[in-house]
Amino acid sequence: MNNYPLKLLVLCCALILTSCSSNETEIVDNNPEMSITVSEKSIESDILTLINNYRVNNGFSSLSKLEVIKSQTNNHTNYMIEKNEVSHDFFYQRKEYLTQNASAVSVAENVAYGYSTAESVVNAWVKSDGHKKNIEGDFTHFDITAEKSVDGKWYFTNIFVKQ
């Protein structure tokens, strides 16, 4: 039995009830008939700004947000919270979705948990060779989801795309 529609409805309700509002962005999920509105959290915009500042300061081009990525970062972040562990589970499904729906020719992902500020998570990624490679990679677009679990621990999914 496919519980995806029910899980998506629960996810939407949870996001609406727990999100901090600032900039509203329409997010289109895997289901083309359904769209949800998610408010971007300040920690998310701060992370994206820090990544772009790092890229520019190190001779790389800045990246643009691509809204279609957000459905994938949202889904995966909430999956990690549900499992209570950080992972790259089902990355190839996210990559395939972005290949088909965002004309992506390359996709990479950074995940993290437990960091409480934008600076701390970006610093940790920059100090890790694999994560740093993604931050410095030949990409054109990115987006991120940062979400707190019920026990107050932050989880992060950051996806990079080259179109």
Side-chain angles (χ1 to χ4, degrees):
M1 180 163 98
N2 184 356
N3 290 331
Y4 182 74
L6 180 59
K7 288 180 181 178
L8 184 59
L9 179 60
V10 171
L11 170 66
C12 292
C13 292
L15 287 172
I16 291 169
L17 293 174
T18 62
S19 65
C20 304
S21 64
S22 58
N23 301 327
E24 284 200 358
T25 306
E26 183 175 351
I27 307 301
V28 179
D29 199 81
N30 292 359
N31 183 345
E33 298 173 3
M34 183 174 175
S35 65
I36 58 175
T37 300
V38 177
S39 298
E40 182 180 76
K41 296 170 194 70
S42 62
I43 192 170
E44 293 170 338
S45 60
D46 291 347
I47 290 168
L48 297 178
T49 298
L50 288 167
I51 289 172
N52 265 339
N53 289 346
Y54 174 87
R55 286 179 60 89
V56 169
N57 290 337
N58 288 279
F60 302 98
S61 61
S62 63
L63 304 176
S64 300
K65 284 182 57 174
L66 184 62
E67 296 304 327
V68 69
I69 296 171
K70 193 71 165 183
S71 66
Q72 301 306 296
T73 60
N74 275 333
N75 290 344
H76 187 62
T77 301
N78 285 297
Y79 168 82
M80 291 190 301
I81 290 171
E82 183 179 304
K83 299 287 276 185
N84 195 32
E85 64 183 41
V86 68
S87 76
H88 292 284
D89 292 354
F90 310 110
F91 170 73
Y92 290 103
Q93 290 176 352
R94 290 185 291 286
K95 180 179 179 182
E96 182 62 25
Y97 176 84
L98 293 168
T99 299
Q100 292 177 4
N101 294 284
S103 302
V105 295
S106 181
V107 179
E109 172 179 90
N110 285 348
V111 295
Y113 74 102
Y115 297 95
S116 59
T117 66
E119 293 82 3
S120 63
V121 72
V122 172
N123 287 338
W125 281 336
V126 168
K127 291 178 182 175
S128 163
D129 290 339
H131 296 103
K132 181 179 178 180
K133 180 180 176 187
N134 291 340
I135 289 172
E136 294 179 348
D138 183 21
F139 298 107
T140 55
H141 296 84
F142 66 164
D143 213 334
I144 190 163
T145 294
E147 192 67 53
K148 274 188 181 180
S149 63
V150 292
D151 63 353
K153 186 188 315 180
W154 283 100
Y155 285 79
F156 306 88
T157 303
N158 182 204
I159 294 180
F160 302 87
V161 167
K162 179 178 182 178
Q163 290 185 314

